[in-house]
Amino acid sequence: MLRKRFNKNIKKEVANFTQSIAEDRRLFLYDIWNTQAHNLMLHRQEIIKEENLKLILKYLEKAKQEFLNNEFIFDEELEDVHINIENYVRGKGGKKTGVLHTARSRNDQVVTDTRMLCRDEINNVIENLINLAGVLLELSEKHAGTIVPGYTHLQQAQPTTFGHFCLAYAGAFKRDIERLSETYKRVNLCPLGSCAFAGTSFQIDRKFTAELLGFDGAVENSLDAVSSRDFAVEIISNLAIIMSNLSRLCEEIIIFATSEFNFIEISDDYTTGSSIMPQKKNPDVAELIRGRTGRVYGNLINILTVLKGITYSYNRDLQEDKKPLWDSFDVVNSSLVVVSGMLAEMKVKELEINPDIIATDIANLLVQKGVPFRDAYNIVADFIKSSDFKKLNENLSEFNIKLTGEEIKLLTPAACVEMRNSLGSSNQVEVLRLVEKSRKEIDSKIRDLENRRKKIDDARLKTGKLVKSYKKH
Ligand code: ARG
């Protein structure tokens, strides 16, 4: 089949059906780096000659430059990025460069490229999550004392602060960062050198290529390395959870911005007008994030289903891992960027709160005066329905207590919030304490991100230096 491909002897529709050029474009630079590292290792292990290595490195560099200048021509009949690059080098460098694919297979090659791309994208997602958490913590601080209604069943339930609300979502996105950082450890392991699946009789050094490519180590079992894609499932699961959190947040923004709720105003930059109703300001950005959540959930089912029935080691089905991965990264990253902007620019308005919202707090006051909670609950329920203050005190007489109008008046929504001082409550002091704590946690996640990226950059530099050293002599 492969020989046929090189001879371009294959039916057009089959070639078109089996190729993966569109998805593979994204792997191009990773594939170059992969091939540089592999060949540097082959020479270091005395498997290929220096003169051949030099030719290979020279034309890999040329291919890279052409790609960066948008001049690299992909041939669909050459199936994928791997054969396109190999063919390019052989076409320019001649027969001697045919050693380039020694002790490697596309099976270990493609999954190595994919893991390299995934680790960069995970870092991008984490960076965007850090920014979003930062925006939410800013809002939490700014609105630590801004009283808004809190909801259960989307019915006004108890007064709370907008800061407490924002802090809740900051917590969710912080966990998203933690999940992805855990996943990263399993992603950043190198399959290269596993060859088709069984390893090789050449004296290769897998640890050296893993190091040149910035991996933390190798996926050791060569069959596991080429066959497994649970890392992809794990990544998309995490991305689906992020979308679930984003979608809920967007739904809240959409509802709070309606004229019925009206305590948030979304900036014009994140809304669109109606083509027919001049007064409309539609929250399209938030709606699209909610809508695209479906795409990422779909991608998760997609990858799970691709994997469900395929035997170890490689089957061509595995080529289908890329679309759901790339698409999920793109949806999540773009959503995170716009949602951060939308939140940073939105206005929170002072709101008239339904006075009934303090009902729990009246009941709590009665409990403090000695009424068992269930009785207090029933008496207050009756009072909320009837607004009959006289009847309220009649009901209280059996407990030998009285409530004055003054006492109830003191129970403003703000006072109610202030009284809630339990750990993690909506109280302003508690919100501000958690903002500080969360900022420190986020700072340490920023350091982790920098370290992960530095390790990749250092490895790229080291490979680059080695490549250069074969240019001079
Ligand atoms: N384009 C293929 C993929 O994405 C590369 C691996 C091909 N391997 C093979 N044995 N046909 O999975």
Side-chain angles (χ1 to χ4, degrees), residues 123-139 170 173 177 333 336-341 343-344 442 445-446 449 453:
N123 283 333
N124 293 339
V125 174
I126 289 178
E127 180 178 0
N128 288 325
L129 282 166
I130 286 171
N131 288 339
L132 174 56
V135 169
L136 284 164
L137 291 178
E138 282 283 299
L139 283 168
F173 296 120
I177 297 171
N333 276 321
L336 286 170
V337 169
V338 289
V339 95
S340 300
L343 292 177
I442 295 291
K445 296 186 194 323
I446 293 174
L449 172 65
R453 282 183 165 159

Side-chain angles (χ1 to χ4, degrees), residues 420-433:
R420 293 196 222 300
N421 52 10
S422 58
L423 183 83
S425 69
S426 47
N427 175 301
Q428 179 166 2
V429 177
E430 197 51 15
V431 168
L432 290 175
R433 181 185 70 80

Side-chain angles (χ1 to χ4, degrees), residues 4-15:
K4 265 195 190 167
R5 286 288 156 100
F6 281 124
N7 296 334
K8 299 200 177 180
N9 235 343
I10 188 161
K11 276 193 170 160
K12 262 229 147 12
E13 65 269 29
V14 177

Side-chain angles (χ1 to χ4, degrees), residues 173-221:
F173 296 120
K174 189 192 82 187
R175 289 190 294 280
D176 285 331
I177 297 171
E178 287 165 1
R179 265 188 293 272
L180 276 174
S181 310
E182 254 309 301
T183 299
Y184 188 92
K185 295 182 199 158
R186 288 180 281 280
V187 172
N188 198 28
L189 296 171
C190 188
L192 194 64
S194 299
C195 305
F197 73 88
T200 179
S201 51
F202 290 102
Q203 296 303 302
I204 59 170
D205 182 349
R206 290 192 62 195
K207 290 194 174 141
F208 183 66
T209 37
E211 189 197 317
L212 280 188
L213 296 174
F215 284 103
D216 296 328
V219 185
E220 291 202 12
N221 180 294

Side-chain angles (χ1 to χ4, degrees), residues 372-471:
F373 180 77
R374 190 52 61 208
D375 292 303
Y377 171 96
N378 289 330
I379 291 168
V380 174
D382 200 54
F383 174 60
I384 295 290
K385 252 190 249 157
S386 64
S387 300
D388 186 342
F389 193 62
K390 235 176 99 191
K391 194 160 163 234
L392 169 72
N393 274 317
E394 273 167 31
N395 287 335
L396 288 176
S397 61
E398 96 173 80
F399 302 98
N400 277 332
I401 59 162
K402 261 190 149 183
L403 206 59
T404 65
E406 272 312 298
E407 282 174 297
I408 294 188
K409 259 195 211 140
L410 283 177
L411 286 179
T412 60
C416 295
V417 169
E418 210 183 310
M419 283 186 301
R420 293 196 222 300
N421 52 10
S422 58
L423 183 83
S425 69
S426 47
N427 175 301
Q428 179 166 2
V429 177
E430 197 51 15
V431 168
L432 290 175
R433 181 185 70 80
L434 273 184
V435 167
E436 270 324 295
K437 186 177 173 201
S438 307
R439 281 197 172 128
K440 287 201 187 101
E441 288 169 352
I442 295 291
D443 281 347
S444 91
K445 296 186 194 323
I446 293 174
R447 283 194 294 278
D448 293 344
L449 172 65
E450 286 168 352
N451 289 337
R452 286 193 301 270
R453 282 183 165 159
K454 186 172 183 319
K455 178 163 187 179
I456 298 172
D457 288 344
D458 287 350
R460 193 185 287 110
L461 236 77
K462 185 171 175 183
T463 310
K465 266 193 194 150
L466 276 175
V467 168
K468 253 201 183 140
S469 72
Y470 285 99
K471 243 185 187 169

